[in-house]
Amino acid sequence: MSIDVGTGIARILKAEGIDWVSTFPVCKVNNALGREGVPMVMMRDDRYAVAVADAFSRITGGTKIGVCTFQGGVNAAGLQVAFAGMAQAFEDGSPVLCITDGISAGETENSQFDVTSALKSVSKWYGHLDKPERLPEFMRRAFTMLRSGRPGPVVISIPNSDAQYDETVDPYLPVKGSKSLPDPSDVSGAIDLLLKAENPLIYAGEGVIYAGASGELKEFAELVNTPVVSTLKAKGAFPEDNALFVGVRGEQVNHYLEKCDLLFAIGSSLSPGRFSHGIPNALKKTIVHCTIDELHINKAYPTAQAVIGDARFTLQALIADAKAKGGRPAGKVAAEVKTVRDEAMTKYREAMASSDKPINPYRVYAGLMEALDPHKSFVTHESGNTRDQLSTVYDTLIPRGFLGWGNVSSLGFSFAATIAAKLAHPDKDCVAVTGEAGLGYMLGQLEVALRQKIGVTVVHVSNGGFAGYGPGFWGDGHDPFTHKVLGYDDVDMSKVIGELGYHTERVTEPSDIVLALRRAFEVNKSGQPAYIEFICSQFPIYGGWVGKS
Ligand SMILES: Cc1ncc(C[n+]2csc(CCOP(=O)(O)OP(=O)(O)O)c2C)c(N)n1
Ligand SMILES: [Mg+2]
């Protein structure tokens, strides 16, 4: 039977278990999605259309694929704005499917912006549907890539969504992702090195979360009695109340990265970026690198032993090999982790108990930890101090109880992430913690949560500027001319956002923090979003990243 490509896409998405698509108009397939009953979450700009779908894929660890549509073709206005979201998804390796209008035959080379080369630079695969009957082939390829190997965005561009094809010729059947097991001799070599090392350290990356391997990681770490550091994006991959958990950042992490003679990386590219650790004195250390992608081997550091495969299958094989070789004795490993961690955390724990006014931001984070059930909640940060501070102190007990993001951290993503988290887990309290800059990005999007009745909470650490950018007790600041905005003395954002229809509060008393948060989570239950403004001090103190040396 002959159908149009747009209808074919809608049916294929349904067959693939896609429950909704995020979008910003116009994209020509949207009408077919609507006609076929695929719900659309319409954001208020194209970057957020991508970001919500991207975040959904991250939060579900790729077990569900986020899908978005945006405007393309010769009038690629939407695509040019969406590009920011795509670049971010590509940078962070998120398996999101982006569908856009393609440039049709007879219209190529008409515009200045080169769509093909731009999209190729931010995707795992860019498929331009040059014949309507190839749609099943392209969609099979897209979903195979989204579910296999190293995660990354896939783009399908549709030059003519009205073009007809016969859907009975190549009937679409949903595709499965494939995973690979590591070479047993590599596994054995990795365990031999680990058991020989004096001070090994496990370095867990987001691949552990995508592989659903948190349980295996815990079993492995305990079997070989080795402390664990998680990357920002892997925060929560290892339970942070475990005796072997060192941290994401902070003096204790620096201590272990310096001290280790063997670094055992699992599910991380080991790329020394802006928001990750470098490995100090790497040339004097042994690096075992378990990764899904051979492009990461011998990338920034010489790899002593590579183990290539899916993180869960890899960990299962490592566990079996280490068990056969007797594991590692417990020794004083856990006791040392506790001592070093407690010492490093002392100043933050003091700040978390502070009764200062304006409120110390760490007291807000302590309030979040008190008001939220760590097994039934989702918290994410913004770019700026909220990232740096939360990733230093916020205890995460389950994978994606906290979403750390950003090899580069594009302001505004937290709101998209929180919307996606609530759509993925309607039973969880979902919170975005932001400063002024992130709030500025998300203001235009706030209407979406009201319209869609998505009960999320935005926590604003309101400190009147870009903390640490201007001069203060920490020094001169690196942007002394560009750090001030209208702050809480000038504008009452809780009134502004309250007028939109959010439940809002402005909190100045440290003792009100937990109660205000609880009230917000209560109204969230009925689908009303909340915004809580905490009048805070500028306190740009947090754990650092260890540089590559
Ligand atoms: C898209 C984008 N542009 C610029 C930046 C650089 N940047 C990072 S944080 C920040 C300001 C943060 O200030 P605020 O939101 O008030 O948080 P605070 O540091 O005060 O807690 C800026 C400009 C960025 N991360 N993302
Ligand atoms: Mg600020």
Side-chain angles (χ1 to χ4, degrees):
M1 199 195 132
S2 182
I3 58 167
D4 62 277
V5 168
T7 302
I9 289 177
R11 292 183 184 171
I12 290 170
L13 292 181
K14 282 202 273 187
E16 288 290 2
I18 304 304
D19 295 328
W20 51 269
V21 169
S22 54
T23 189
F24 186 76
V26 294
C27 176
K28 292 187 181 127
V29 303
N30 282 356
N31 289 349
L33 296 181
R35 278 194 304 269
E36 290 291 310
V38 177
M40 280 176 277
V41 176
M42 186 178 76
M43 300 304 292
R44 296 295 294 266
D45 77 39
D46 327 75
R47 178 259 172 134
Y48 277 91
V50 180
V52 167
D54 161 356
F56 187 72
S57 293
R58 297 188 201 213
I59 288 159
T60 59
T63 57
K64 292 190 169 185
I65 298 296
V67 182
C68 62
T69 64
F70 48 80
Q71 178 182 37
V74 177
N75 179 11
L79 190 153
Q80 289 176 14
V81 173
F83 189 81
M86 292 205 57
Q88 191 184 5
F90 185 68
E91 178 65 53
D92 275 3
S94 173
V96 54
L97 176 60
C98 304
I99 299 172
T100 189
D101 311 309
I103 297 173
S104 46
E107 288 192 312
T108 60
E109 302 299 328
N110 284 8
S111 52
Q112 310 303 314
F113 181 73
D114 182 351
V115 171
T116 307
S117 59
L119 293 185
K120 278 190 171 171
S121 73
V122 291
S123 59
K124 187 167 172 178
W125 180 54
Y126 166 74
H128 178 76
L129 190 76
D130 58 357
K131 283 199 163 177
E133 59 269 32
R134 297 186 75 190
L135 184 67
E137 170 198 331
F138 273 44
M139 295 300 274
R140 271 195 299 268
R141 268 165 90 171
F143 276 100
T144 302
M145 281 189 224
L146 290 161
R147 294 185 178 130
S148 312
R150 183 181 173 203
V154 167
V155 193
I156 299 283
S157 96
I158 309 290
N160 180 5
S161 68
D162 294 329
Q164 301 281 314
Y165 73 105
D166 184 344
E167 75 170 334
T168 60
V169 171
D170 179 6
Y172 191 86
L173 292 175
V175 294
K176 200 182 147 296
S178 298
K179 298 177 194 304
S180 55
L181 283 150
D183 181 334
S185 68
D186 289 342
V187 171
S188 176
I191 294 296
D192 289 345
L193 288 173
L194 176 66
L195 298 182
K196 238 180 26 202
E198 224 165 285
N199 292 305
L201 177 68
I202 293 174
Y203 190 82
E206 201 180 23
V208 172
I209 294 181
Y210 278 110
S214 287
E216 284 83 356
L217 176 63
K218 180 168 172 286
E219 187 182 344
F220 179 62
E222 288 175 344
L223 177 66
V224 294
N225 275 296
T226 300
V228 180
V229 166
S230 301
T231 65
L232 175 63
K233 291 196 296 162
K235 187 168 164 53
F238 191 72
E240 300 188 354
D241 56 352
N242 188 285
L244 292 169
F245 179 65
V246 175
V248 172
R249 58 202 293 184
E251 288 301 315
Q252 80 283 20
V253 178
N254 305 7
H255 168 89
Y256 276 97
L257 283 170
E258 294 281 353
K259 176 184 155 171
C260 68
D261 59 346
L262 178 137
L263 188 121
F264 201 102
I266 305 173
S268 161
S269 69
L270 282 185
S271 304
R274 170 67 185 87
F275 300 107
S276 60
H277 297 289
I279 304 173
N281 301 313
L283 297 179
K284 299 209 173 86
K285 299 184 195 291
T286 304
I287 295 175
V288 176
H289 199 169
C290 310
T291 171
I292 201 165
D293 190 343
E294 75 279 5
L295 295 181
H296 297 152
I297 305 297
N298 286 314
K299 182 182 175 187
Y301 310 102
T303 307
Q305 176 68 64
V307 186
I308 298 180
D310 171 77
R312 192 155 72 92
F313 289 143
T314 299
L315 279 160
Q316 286 169 353
L318 291 166
I319 290 167
D321 197 79
K323 264 192 192 152
K325 291 173 182 161
R328 257 179 100 80
K332 293 189 180 130
V333 177
E336 191 197 332
V337 170
K338 180 164 170 34
T339 310
V340 180
R341 195 157 188 254
D342 281 348
E343 198 185 315
M345 296 308 284
T346 303
K347 63 178 175 201
Y348 302 113
R349 287 179 184 153
E350 275 167 23
M352 289 167 97
S354 158
S355 307
D356 287 355
K357 280 171 66 176
I359 299 170
N360 186 301
Y362 282 96
R363 180 77 190 256
V364 177
Y365 311 144
L368 278 169
M369 281 161 67
E370 191 178 332
L372 289 168
D373 176 347
H375 296 280
K376 271 189 70 184
S377 57
F378 170 89
V379 173
T380 193
H381 59 86
E382 256 309 328
S383 180
N385 279 257
T386 62
R387 171 198 52 233
D388 301 322
Q389 295 169 336
L390 283 164
S391 55
T392 305
V393 300
Y394 189 82
D395 287 334
T396 309
L397 304 191
I398 56 166
R400 299 310 195 207
F402 182 94
L403 181 71
W405 49 270
N407 290 343
V408 301
S409 59
S410 312
L411 281 162
F413 187 71
S414 69
F415 189 73
T418 309
I419 293 286
K422 195 70 183 174
L423 291 170
H425 303 291
D427 53 323
K428 288 189 179 175
D429 294 320
C430 298
V431 185
V433 187
T434 184
E436 280 66 42
L439 187 69
Y441 278 74
M442 67 181 78
L443 276 176
Q445 309 301 315
L446 294 179
E447 177 267 343
V448 178
L450 287 163
R451 175 167 35 88
Q452 300 273 346
K453 299 193 174 37
I454 302 175
V456 295
T457 289
V458 175
V459 163
H460 178 191
V461 172
S462 180
N463 60 14
F466 303 161
Y469 277 48
F473 65 83
W474 52 88
D476 292 340
H478 50 73
D479 278 64
F481 303 105
T482 50
H483 64 95
K484 281 191 196 149
V485 295
L486 293 185
Y488 48 79
D489 286 336
D490 310 293
V491 191
D492 186 336
M493 286 308 287
S494 67
K495 282 200 181 131
V496 174
I497 296 173
E499 282 300 308
L500 283 175
Y502 274 56
H503 163 84
T504 65
E505 292 192 41
R506 172 174 257 223
V507 179
T508 53
E509 291 296 328
S511 55
D512 287 344
I513 294 172
V514 173
L515 294 171
L517 288 170
R518 289 203 172 118
R519 284 190 289 270
F521 303 148
E522 199 48 45
V523 302
N524 284 169
K525 288 196 181 108
S526 61
Q528 189 189 9
Y531 162 88
I532 311 293
E533 180 180 22
F534 293 101
I535 307 305
C536 288
S537 59
Q538 296 198 358
F539 191 77
I541 306 230
Y542 41 79
W545 299 114
V546 180
K548 183 184 172 200
S549 56

